[in-house]
Amino acid sequence: MDSKTKTEFSPETIQKLVESQFGSSTLVEKITPLTDGWFNTAYDLQVLGEQADMILRIAPDPEQRVLTYEREMMRKEILIYQTIETLQDVPAPRLLASDTSRTIIARDYMFTEKFSGKPYDKIKENLSRKTVQSIEKEIGVYAARMHTHIGDAFGYFGDGPGSGSQNWRGAFLAFIDALLRDSEALEVQLPLDFSQLHDLFHKYAEALEEITEASLVHWDMWAGNIFVIPENGVYRVEGIIDWERALWGDPEIETAICCKFYGQSFFDGYGRDMLDGDDAKIRQCMYRLYLWLIMLTEEKVRFEGAAHIPWVREQLDHDLKLLQIF
């Protein structure tokens, strides 16, 4: 699917970016555009020289309209990778180089390690039930490890919404308020008007106060961002990509979404099921609503008429009704 935030770059430009970070002896032999993402422009680079093959990711034009939490997102992502590198037990690709000077091209860009495996969503249908359960259990194990890392404050990295908040309630409501302002400015058609949605989230915000530790959350752990690799005839998780939306917050903002992609095996690996008290259910519903609102609003700055939007609207309507039961 074409996205307004993505741009095609010439082989000559890509070679210049490579040389700027790795020297003139690193020559690009083959360039393969990566089309799955909807935000950054990405290329799989096969290179000659001492440098291993790698992934080039180029941010949208700084003048391109994006959502508030996406502004300068690659600069935030660099901070995320630098944080992950110190943790050692989170399987992310290594950040090889980055440039935010906008001197060679008027955009930020980065090079990351290339995983040798395949995205889980591309091969899942061809795997046995036992293999699927094994992979999804391992994804749960890695999610649990990631969530043990605690930050000093809540919110998105850098200066994103809620950044530096001393409580989860303040951070999450900042996420919502920024998104609703975007939705209103972009004239997104929603089941309730913006003031009603604002009041609804604030009405149930007390349920967020139970969260007192700011865990590292990937926030986009769907199957396309999980790379798996065969090893001795058995598939294992190689790593997790696309960290630009990572944040410090409630781990259940992750698991409330993961349960839609993975089965019970994920929670077997994670070590516990989702909490089932009323406050936990309210939080999980609010987190899903946040995702549905993002997906509806981002359509206005990416593309219009996307095939998944009717499904998103169904999910939004369902969870709005569910939240108001409490």
Side-chain angles (χ1 to χ4, degrees):
M1 187 187 307
D2 291 335
S3 171
K4 298 174 185 176
T5 63
K6 300 176 71 172
T7 304
E8 183 177 349
F9 292 88
S10 69
E12 293 77 16
T13 296
I14 292 172
Q15 179 63 47
K16 286 181 181 179
L17 299 182
V18 169
E19 289 183 7
S20 73
Q21 299 299 317
F22 304 103
S24 58
S25 62
T26 303
L27 302 177
V28 179
E29 183 178 34
K30 183 179 180 181
I31 301 171
T32 303
L34 300 176
T35 58
D36 283 350
W38 292 345
F39 191 72
N40 295 307
T41 303
Y43 296 97
D44 178 341
L45 303 183
Q46 184 176 328
V47 298
L48 298 174
E50 296 183 1
Q51 177 62 44
D53 295 346
M54 53 192 167
I55 302 299
L56 167 62
R57 302 174 71 235
I58 305 174
D61 188 314
E63 300 302 316
Q64 169 67 41
R65 189 170 190 175
V66 295
L67 304 188
T68 298
Y69 87 101
E70 296 173 328
R71 293 172 184 165
E72 308 286 8
M73 188 139 76
M74 186 165 285
R75 299 184 180 205
K76 298 180 179 71
E77 188 174 8
I78 292 169
L79 296 176
I80 295 166
Y81 275 113
Q82 290 170 343
T83 298
I84 292 170
E85 189 174 2
T86 68
L87 304 180
Q88 299 183 344
D89 61 349
V90 177
R94 290 180 298 117
L95 176 64
L96 303 177
S98 62
D99 183 1
T100 59
S101 68
R102 300 179 182 173
T103 53
I104 300 176
I105 56 172
R107 302 178 184 222
D108 301 330
Y109 64 92
M110 62 163 56
F111 294 91
T112 64
E113 175 187 15
K114 177 186 174 182
F115 285 143
S116 57
K118 296 182 180 298
Y120 178 41
D121 70 318
K122 301 297 185 186
I123 65 170
K124 181 177 179 178
E125 290 185 0
N126 298 320
L127 301 176
S128 69
R129 182 169 180 269
K130 182 178 180 180
T131 299
V132 166
Q133 290 175 334
S134 175
I135 290 171
E136 296 187 355
K137 182 176 182 178
E138 191 177 6
I139 296 170
V141 168
Y142 281 124
R145 289 181 189 172
M146 175 172 46
H147 296 161
T148 64
H149 295 291
I150 307 300
D152 296 329
F154 294 90
Y156 283 104
F157 278 70
D159 60 354
S163 176
S165 295
Q166 293 306 301
N167 59 76
W168 177 232
R169 174 177 177 153
F172 187 74
L173 290 179
F175 298 174
I176 292 297
D177 292 348
L179 179 60
L180 289 177
R181 288 193 297 271
D182 290 335
S183 301
E184 186 170 21
L186 291 164
E187 300 182 341
V188 179
Q189 298 300 308
L190 298 174
L192 301 175
D193 68 33
F194 303 102
S195 62
Q196 289 175 312
L197 285 168
H198 172 277
D199 292 346
L200 186 64
F201 278 102
H202 282 254
K203 175 182 176 181
Y204 290 99
E206 186 175 350
L208 303 168
E209 294 178 0
E210 289 185 4
I211 308 306
T212 59
E213 290 186 327
S215 295
L216 177 62
V217 175
H218 181 278
W219 182 221
D220 199 13
M221 284 185 68
W222 75 287
N225 284 338
I226 309 296
F227 269 63
V228 297
I229 187 171
E231 189 175 85
N232 299 322
V234 179
Y235 275 94
R236 65 170 179 83
V237 173
E238 183 181 19
I240 306 168
I241 66 168
D242 284 6
W243 287 81
E244 65 261 35
R245 290 168 173 79
L247 55 88
W248 296 104
D250 180 3
E252 290 219 340
I253 199 173
E254 195 113 78
T255 54
I257 307 303
C258 283
C259 67
K260 287 189 167 290
F261 301 118
Y262 310 124
Q264 180 58 40
S265 295
F266 171 88
F267 292 99
D268 292 342
Y270 191 68
R272 66 173 175 84
D273 288 327
M274 295 174 68
L275 300 176
D276 60 3
D278 281 353
D279 280 353
K281 290 178 180 178
I282 289 170
R283 290 193 299 271
Q284 292 155 14
C285 191
M286 292 171 76
Y287 300 155
R288 292 193 301 271
L289 285 168
Y290 180 47
L291 176 62
W292 311 141
L293 289 169
I294 285 175
M295 294 179 74
L296 288 180
T297 306
E298 71 182 5
E299 184 200 21
K300 295 291 187 177
V301 294
R302 304 275 198 282
F303 31 69
E304 293 200 36
H308 64 273
I309 294 300
W311 177 83
V312 174
R313 290 193 176 280
E314 289 177 7
Q315 304 305 308
L316 176 66
D317 290 343
H318 173 270
D319 281 325
L320 279 174
K321 293 175 183 175
L322 181 61
L323 181 61
Q324 295 175 79
I325 292 174
F326 293 98

